[in-house]
Amino acid sequence: MVSIGKENDLLLFKGSNFLKQRLLLSTLSGKPVKIVNIRSFENPPGLREYEVSLIRLFDKITNGTRIELNETGTAVIYEPGLLHGGSLLHECSMERGIGYYLDVLLALGPFCKSALSVTLRGVTNSPESPSVDHIKAAAMPILKRFLIVDDGLELKIIKRGMMPAGGGEVLCKCPMRKNLHTLQLIKPGMIKRIRGVVYACRVSPALANRTVESAKGVMLKFLPDVYIHTDQSKGKSAGNSPGFGINLIAETIDGCFYSAETVSNLIKDGSTPSVPEELGQETAQKLLEEIYRGGCCDSTFQWLVVLYMALGQKNVTKFLTGPLSTYTIHFLQHLMEFFSIKFKLENFTEKDGSDEDEEAPATAPKILLTCMGIGYSNINKRII
C-alpha cells in the first residue's frame, strides 16, 4: 500500500515500492520527500544495501543534498541539491546490476551543470534489473532522439561482471542540454533486422555457440536478416564469477528498437544449471513478445519516454507505445505528484491505407501518449 500526503512541506510516501522513482523525481523537481514504513515488518527491516548505494549515487552527482536516515533505516528524508555531474566513480551493490543505477544517470545527465562521466563497477548483467546491453540497445536511442545533438553520449562496457561477485566496469558519458527536443513519434515501422550478442564469462565458448544457434533457429522463422555474435571474455575482463547470457535487438525501418535479454542461473547449491538451448529460445520468445507489444520504444523504458515528454518544451508531444507496464503507470502517478502534469492516454488504431481484405499482422493494442511539456530548463548549465 502507498499513502501520499504532505508533512512540513515534505511530500510524504509510505512503503519501499518505487523508491528510485521518488528520489529521481525529487531531484529533478527540487521537492524534498519523506519516505516512512520502509519494510517495517520485515526481518531485517529498512533499506537494503542496493538502495543505500543508490542514495549515495544521488548524493555524488548533486551538490548540497541533505539525507537523513533513522536508526533502523525504515524512514528517510531526502532534500535534493543542485545537479552537479562531472567525473566520478561509484561502486555499485552486488545485489543489483549496474543497470539499476545507470538508467538514473540517463534521466539526470542532460540537466547537470557539467557533462556527466561516471564509471560504475559491479554486476553488468543480472536478471533483477536491465543489463548494460539492454540499456545500450533500447534506452540510448530514445535519449538520442530527445537530445537532438548526441555528441558526447557514450556507454562503454570495459569489463563484464556476472553475479554474485561482479567485477564488471562500465563508463557512461552524457552531455548537458538546456532543453529537450519536442518529439512526435507515432509510426514505429516494420522490423528490418535482428542483431544480438551472446556473452560468456569464465565458461566454455561452446555454451555461447549453442545459445546462438538456438536463438537463430527461432528468429529465422520470423526474419531472414539475423546476426548474433559472441563476446567471450577472458582473464580480468571476464569479472569474478562464471556465467553467460544473451541480448537480442530488433530494429525497425524508422529507427525504433526493441530488446530482450536472459541471463544464466546463479551456480549455487541446489540450483538448476541453465541450458544454452533453452536460454536462446526463451530470449527469442521474449523479443517476439516485445515486437508484438509494438510501439515506438521498448516496454522496459516506457517510463523514460514519459519523463522526457513531461520535461520537454512547452509544445504538444505525442508518442506511441504498446500496453503500459505497471512500472510506467506508477511513474505517471508520481509525475502528477511532483510536477502536476497529466497525460492524455487514448487507444490508437493505425490507418496505413492497406486493403481491408488483406490480413494484417497480429499486434497488441497501442496507446497514444499526449502531453504538453512543462518547459523544464537546465538551470545548472553554464551560460557561455
Side-chain angles (χ1 to χ4, degrees), residues 14 48 109 128 158 164 172 185 289 359 384:
K14 291 184 179 180
R48 300 292 181 253
E128 287 84 7
I158 301 173
C172 176
L185 193 59
E289 183 180 351
E359 185 178 353
I384 301 175

Side-chain angles (χ1 to χ4, degrees), residues 186-200:
I186 59 175
K187 290 185 178 181
M190 301 295 288
I191 304 296
K192 69 175 181 179
R193 61 186 173 195
I194 293 172
R195 297 291 182 263
V197 57
V198 176
Y199 45 86

Side-chain angles (χ1 to χ4, degrees), residues 44-116:
L47 294 168
R48 300 292 181 253
E49 180 186 333
Y50 65 90
E51 294 170 328
V52 174
S53 180
L54 178 67
I55 294 175
R56 287 175 180 157
L57 179 61
F58 276 107
D59 188 37
K60 285 181 179 179
I61 63 177
T62 56
N63 189 9
T65 297
R66 190 175 73 90
I67 302 166
E68 289 185 14
L69 285 172
N70 65 353
E71 293 181 358
T72 58
T74 56
V76 57
I77 296 176
Y78 179 81
E79 295 183 7
L82 296 176
L83 278 167
H84 186 270
S87 299
L88 56 97
L89 170 67
H90 184 68
E91 297 284 347
C92 303
S93 169
M94 299 300 171
E95 295 179 358
R96 285 291 184 274
I98 289 177
Y100 179 78
Y101 309 89
L102 196 54
D103 53 12
V104 168
L105 298 179
L106 294 184
L108 298 178
F111 306 107
C112 290
K113 180 178 180 180
S114 304
L116 204 60

Side-chain angles (χ1 to χ4, degrees), residues 155-203:
L155 181 57
K156 182 179 180 182
I157 302 175
I158 301 173
K159 292 189 293 184
R160 288 194 181 273
M162 308 296 290
M163 296 188 79
E169 186 173 325
V170 173
L171 174 64
C172 176
K173 292 184 178 180
C174 184
M176 52 188 177
R177 290 290 178 267
K178 188 68 177 176
N179 300 101
L180 292 179
H181 176 53
T182 302
L183 200 63
Q184 295 199 358
L185 193 59
I186 59 175
K187 290 185 178 181
M190 301 295 288
I191 304 296
K192 69 175 181 179
R193 61 186 173 195
I194 293 172
R195 297 291 182 263
V197 57
V198 176
Y199 45 86
C201 302
R202 298 187 181 278
V203 295

